[in-house]
Amino acid sequence: MAANVALLSASSPSTSASSILRRHPPPRRSACPRRAASRLSVVAAMSDDPIKEWILTEGKATQITGTSSIGGGCINAAQRYDTDAGSFFVKTNRRIGPAMFEGEALGLKAMYDTKSIRVPLPYKVGSLPTGGSFIIMEFIQFGRSRGDQSALGRKLAEMHKSAKSDKGYGFYVENTIGSTPQINTWTADWIEFYSKHRLGYQLKLISQRFGDSAIYEKGQRLIEKMHLLFDGAVIEPCLLHGDLWSGNISADANGDPVILDPACYYGHNEAEFGMSWCAGFRGDFYSSYFEVMPKQPGFEKRRDLYLLYHYLNHYNLFGSGYRSSAMSIIDDYLRMLKA
């Protein structure tokens, strides 16, 4: 996939230095050599800064009036760019290429197109000249609170209800959950997808990185029996945010919920609650959600199965401090399923 994420913009990639020079040809050297040199130096500087270049061309701004750092988490840096055409939100990563941000942009655009819950619209993904990558997106001014839990539950359910895939379970590209690769190969069966590309993949990484054969072997036993937890459930491939914890949930200045920084894929809607252990969902969130997307038989029994994926990922990301939580869930299921 092109680093421009061409589907996000109707504009052709016409912001190179040569095209700017074509639109604004410098005067002849004999007429004004200093002005020509100045114009060339400005163009060269813009080419060295693709973020600034996009903002001042396709972003329709004529000047950048200020920049400020915003907390970007432990993986990326984030900045706000203020311009005479409005503000932009920019994330950069100096170590990772554009594929990570391409996956994020496709997820944001997919959620944006549902017209259900507010997400920032992505504008541009690209590479940094010194290495790494960036994404430019809509800047949303957040309010003073995380907003109404009831509204969040309802709008999230509306997104799940409206966005279904006819390709099965997965996504158009591989993306990341934190910095861990998230495999999204299209699969017809949800249990197979979740077994192989979610639990199985995380367990394999743990075995390779930490040599933890105990959790790997017990996890495989759970995978063999977990189909028993889905009796009577109707499962459809719904568009999921994929990493819905408190840091990725906010509200705009009007109090409407906003979700961001996704790890999107099409999956069982209940998997969206996998980060509920650090999302702060309350009773009114679930009540409003289930009014739109009715609760399926066995929901309570499957709840921890979806927590497990994220505990395993945190084990991979942050180390063995999360091992006991993951192992406790696995052991509980092995007892319940007599495996």
Side-chain angles (χ1 to χ4, degrees):
M1 171 191 259
N4 305 12
V5 189
L7 65 92
L8 303 179
S9 172
S11 303
S12 60
S14 57
T15 57
S16 65
S18 61
S19 64
I20 293 171
L21 286 169
R22 284 197 297 272
R23 288 199 297 272
H24 303 286
R28 293 180 181 177
R29 181 173 297 179
S30 59
C32 188
R34 290 183 180 177
R35 185 177 298 173
S38 174
R39 190 182 296 270
L40 285 168
S41 65
V42 169
V43 170
M46 287 177 65
S47 298
D48 291 339
D49 188 343
I51 297 170
K52 181 178 179 181
E53 180 179 347
W54 186 92
I55 289 173
L56 294 176
T57 54
E58 294 183 60
K60 310 301 183 186
T62 61
Q63 61 177 327
I64 295 171
T65 57
T67 61
S68 55
S69 294
I70 303 173
C74 57
I75 298 172
N76 306 305
Q79 284 190 305
R80 171 180 175 172
Y81 280 67
D82 293 315
T83 79
D84 58 350
S87 297
F88 298 90
F89 180 70
V90 178
K91 290 200 298 185
T92 56
N93 190 297
R94 300 290 174 177
R95 298 177 295 103
I96 301 175
M100 178 179 70
F101 287 141
E102 287 172 355
E104 178 177 351
L106 284 171
L108 287 169
K109 186 64 165 57
M111 294 192 297
Y112 183 91
D113 286 345
T114 67
K115 298 178 171 59
S116 53
I117 190 166
R118 190 170 186 190
V119 299
L121 179 63
Y123 297 132
K124 174 73 174 179
V125 171
S127 298
L128 294 169
T130 56
S133 55
F134 68 90
I135 180 171
I136 305 172
M137 65 184 80
E138 173 189 7
F139 176 82
I140 297 176
Q141 183 65 58
F142 294 150
R144 294 185 177 182
S145 72
R146 292 181 59 225
D148 183 350
Q149 286 262 312
S150 179
L152 174 63
R154 184 180 68 257
K155 289 182 175 292
L156 187 66
E158 288 170 356
M159 183 181 83
H160 291 167
K161 187 173 183 177
S162 65
K164 306 286 176 65
S165 169
D166 59 3
K167 295 178 177 290
Y169 303 92
F171 201 56
Y172 307 102
V173 296
E174 317 291 26
N175 50 26
T176 55
I177 181 77
S179 59
T180 307
Q182 187 164 253
I183 309 303
N184 292 318
T185 305
W186 291 110
T187 307
D189 180 74
W190 168 248
I191 297 174
E192 178 185 349
F193 176 87
Y194 194 68
S195 297
K196 182 177 181 180
H197 300 310
R198 293 298 180 261
L199 298 185
Y201 183 74
Q202 293 284 346
L203 288 165
K204 182 175 73 173
L205 288 181
I206 288 170
S207 178
Q208 293 171 345
R209 293 175 179 178
F210 302 102
D212 193 338
S213 59
I215 198 168
Y216 177 83
E217 291 168 3
K218 286 188 173 184
Q220 292 299 324
R221 286 163 54 195
L222 169 57
I223 286 172
E224 291 174 4
K225 293 287 188 178
M226 75 178 202
H227 65 277
L228 300 172
L229 299 169
F230 291 87
D231 287 348
V234 177
I235 306 171
E236 296 179 291
C238 304
L239 178 63
L240 307 181
H241 174 282
D243 191 15
L244 204 59
W245 66 289
S246 59
N248 294 339
I249 302 168
S250 191
D252 63 18
N254 296 321
D256 293 323
V258 179
I259 56 177
L260 55 148
D261 201 14
C264 285
Y265 65 100
Y266 289 89
H268 186 200
N269 65 302
E270 294 174 9
E272 193 77 283
F273 309 136
M275 283 291 288
S276 60
W277 49 281
C278 55
F281 297 144
R282 299 194 303 262
D284 49 348
F285 166 86
Y286 288 106
S287 297
S288 294
Y289 181 89
F290 289 129
E291 286 177 4
V292 179
M293 290 285 287
K295 185 187 295 187
Q296 293 292 314
F299 168 75
E300 285 77 12
K301 288 183 179 181
R302 290 186 295 273
R303 219 166 169 170
D304 285 356
L305 189 69
Y306 293 130
L307 302 185
L308 178 59
Y309 171 58
H310 294 278
Y311 277 122
L312 291 172
N313 184 49
H314 276 62
Y315 185 176
N316 274 309
L317 288 173
F318 306 115
S320 59
Y322 290 91
R323 182 185 188 274
S324 61
S325 297
M327 185 65 96
S328 177
I329 290 174
I330 293 172
D331 285 338
D332 286 346
Y333 274 120
L334 293 179
R335 284 190 293 270
M336 179 193 302
L337 299 172
K338 298 180 173 58

